[in-house]
Amino acid sequence: MPLKLIRRKNKAGKPSGNYFARGTVAGQSVYQSTGTSIRGEAEAWANRLETKMRERHAFGASATLTFAEAAHEYMLSGGEGRFLKKVLEYFGPDTRVADIDNGTMLEAADAIYPDAAPATVNRQLIGPVSAVIGMASENGRAIPRKFRRLTVRNARTRWLTPAEFERLLSNAAPHLVPILACLIGTGCRASEALGAEVENWHPATGELWLPETKNGHARMVQMPERARDLILAEGVPEDGQLLQTPKGQGYVMRSNGGGQIQTAFNFARDNAGLGPEVTPHVIRHTWATWFYAATKDYGRMLDLGGWRTASTAERYRKNSPADLPAKLLKAGWNFQRLGADLPDTMERRAGLRAV
């Protein structure tokens, strides 16, 4: 029997508000809002729901699960939804997970990101869709599958020389200086640095505990003496976030954050005569290049950088000239003395102050 559409009555006894679908389909009771007060739209919604429920009863969830349902469950479980809005708009409410294959993904890429680079398509389309369907398959709701990523050519090779970083630093606003120091000193992602708490920073050793990271693996990072001193020079609050806004407040954290400093960073970058390809994330590439050149300790670079695989770290470590270690030391960036080996003086420790 088809689902019936009903509306609740107002105080005057007249139907008002959205239509509700009510009835029994394939042995399951239904009483749901259609989300609309327009009769035709409500009928279409109820017909789709009824069809979906009958198909699921006949063929099982793995054959009938929609991408919209899988994405909803993914985000409810804490999955990243930043790039899913455009994907959901493209697939709509009725596209089934079972119907999404590599050909479907290429069509989606052409429609959603027609002018985007392969790396962007991988990051903002193929990666999120793979994560959604991967979780659905882990939950027994979909058949496991793999999607081909687009080939990325001319991967990012930009890193900053010590002289370039000094220009960036000298043109930075006062509140940006300790942020840049933390980024270049530890290799943190911008979001990790901005979310770091004072209670997790150890100025005597220049160590910073990161309990929440992009890949979910907490780690302790270490910074050289100059990075530690640049942070102390700006003043450190008694509690809350270590790095703060020009108003002395902690940054509002966002998913896949870092954009909070984009305006200040771009201003410093442009005044330093650096190109638009230089972004806050380039500093993570720079740290990996500097650290390895100075220490030749590949394993420690992986640990401090938080990379889970060597292949990922290889994309960050760039080829550098043989004199880079000497230039780093001349500029005050000594990556050989970290942690317990970091110099500590009462004057530097006295730089801590409440904001």
Side-chain angles (χ1 to χ4, degrees):
M1 204 173 167
L3 291 173
K4 293 182 179 179
L5 294 177
I6 60 174
R7 296 174 80 186
R8 293 171 177 168
K9 294 182 179 180
N10 58 23
K11 292 181 179 179
K14 294 182 179 181
S16 66
N18 293 335
Y19 281 96
F20 281 72
R22 188 171 191 173
T24 302
V25 179
Q28 290 186 315
S29 295
V30 176
Y31 185 63
Q32 295 185 37
S33 172
T34 65
T36 180
S37 60
I38 301 174
R39 177 87 189 184
E41 293 180 358
E43 289 175 346
W45 185 94
N47 289 336
R48 285 200 304 270
L49 175 63
E50 187 174 347
T51 299
K52 186 188 302 181
M53 292 181 68
R54 293 191 185 283
E55 288 180 346
R56 187 153 299 172
H57 177 73
F59 304 111
S62 63
T64 58
L65 180 72
T66 67
F67 183 79
E69 291 173 320
H72 179 67
E73 293 172 2
Y74 173 77
M75 288 185 282
L76 282 179
S77 299
E80 174 58 53
R82 182 183 180 191
F83 299 120
L84 285 175
K85 181 179 179 181
K86 290 184 177 180
V87 182
L88 287 167
E89 289 175 350
Y90 173 78
F91 284 136
D94 301 321
T95 298
R96 298 182 302 176
V97 168
D99 293 331
I100 299 176
D101 55 22
N102 285 303
T104 308
M105 295 296 284
L106 290 176
E107 292 172 357
D110 286 340
I112 304 173
Y113 299 107
D115 301 316
T120 300
V121 175
N122 289 340
R123 182 177 66 256
Q124 299 186 16
L125 173 63
I126 299 176
V129 171
S130 297
V132 168
I133 297 179
M135 185 178 139
S137 66
E138 289 174 4
N139 293 339
R141 304 262 286 152
I143 298 173
R145 72 198 58 198
K146 289 185 177 181
F147 295 101
R148 287 194 304 271
R149 292 178 179 264
L150 304 186
T151 300
V152 178
R153 303 186 187 280
N154 299 320
R156 190 199 306 250
T157 59
R158 187 69 163 102
W159 59 278
L160 300 179
T161 66
E164 287 177 323
F165 186 78
E166 291 305 316
R167 296 208 309 270
L168 180 65
L169 202 60
S170 64
N171 282 280
H175 78 283
L176 185 62
V177 170
I179 297 174
L180 295 176
C182 184
L183 295 177
I184 195 63
T186 66
C188 284
R189 300 173 180 88
S191 59
E192 295 170 345
L194 296 181
E197 298 283 336
V198 172
E199 65 179 2
N200 292 326
W201 190 49
H202 309 279
T205 59
E207 293 175 300
L208 179 63
W209 174 246
L210 302 175
E212 296 184 11
T213 64
K214 182 179 178 181
N215 60 15
H217 296 277
R219 70 183 190 279
M220 181 78 81
V221 294
Q222 298 175 325
M223 62 184 69
E225 180 182 5
R226 189 179 178 203
R228 184 270 308 273
D229 291 350
L230 285 170
I231 295 174
L232 286 174
E234 183 61 20
V236 178
E238 289 184 343
D239 53 30
Q241 286 159 248
L242 174 65
L243 304 171
Q244 304 206 339
T245 70
K247 296 182 179 180
Q249 300 173 341
Y251 284 89
V252 176
M253 299 312 298
R254 308 170 184 166
S255 298
N256 286 305
Q260 302 95 316
I261 63 170
Q262 195 67 58
T263 299
F265 183 90
N266 289 351
F267 182 83
R269 177 198 66 196
D270 295 343
N271 286 341
L274 301 173
E277 77 283 358
V278 176
T279 66
H281 197 63
V282 164
I283 300 181
R284 183 160 159 82
H285 289 253
T286 301
W287 172 84
T289 304
W290 286 13
F291 184 88
Y292 183 76
T295 66
K296 294 298 188 289
D297 193 335
Y298 192 73
R300 196 176 184 191
M301 184 191 80
L302 260 67
D303 291 340
L304 293 177
W307 292 293
R308 307 303 297 174
T309 63
S311 60
T312 302
E314 277 300 307
R315 299 204 303 267
Y316 286 80
R317 184 192 66 163
K318 316 301 181 187
N319 292 324
S320 61
D323 63 350
L324 178 58
K327 289 181 177 179
L328 288 171
L329 286 175
K330 186 176 180 180
W333 300 106
N334 187 353
F335 289 94
Q336 294 282 2
R337 300 189 68 181
L338 300 175
D341 295 330
L342 200 68
D344 179 38
T345 66
M346 292 300 293
E347 291 81 6
R348 285 176 179 135
R349 291 180 66 80
L352 287 138
R353 64 175 174 83
V355 174

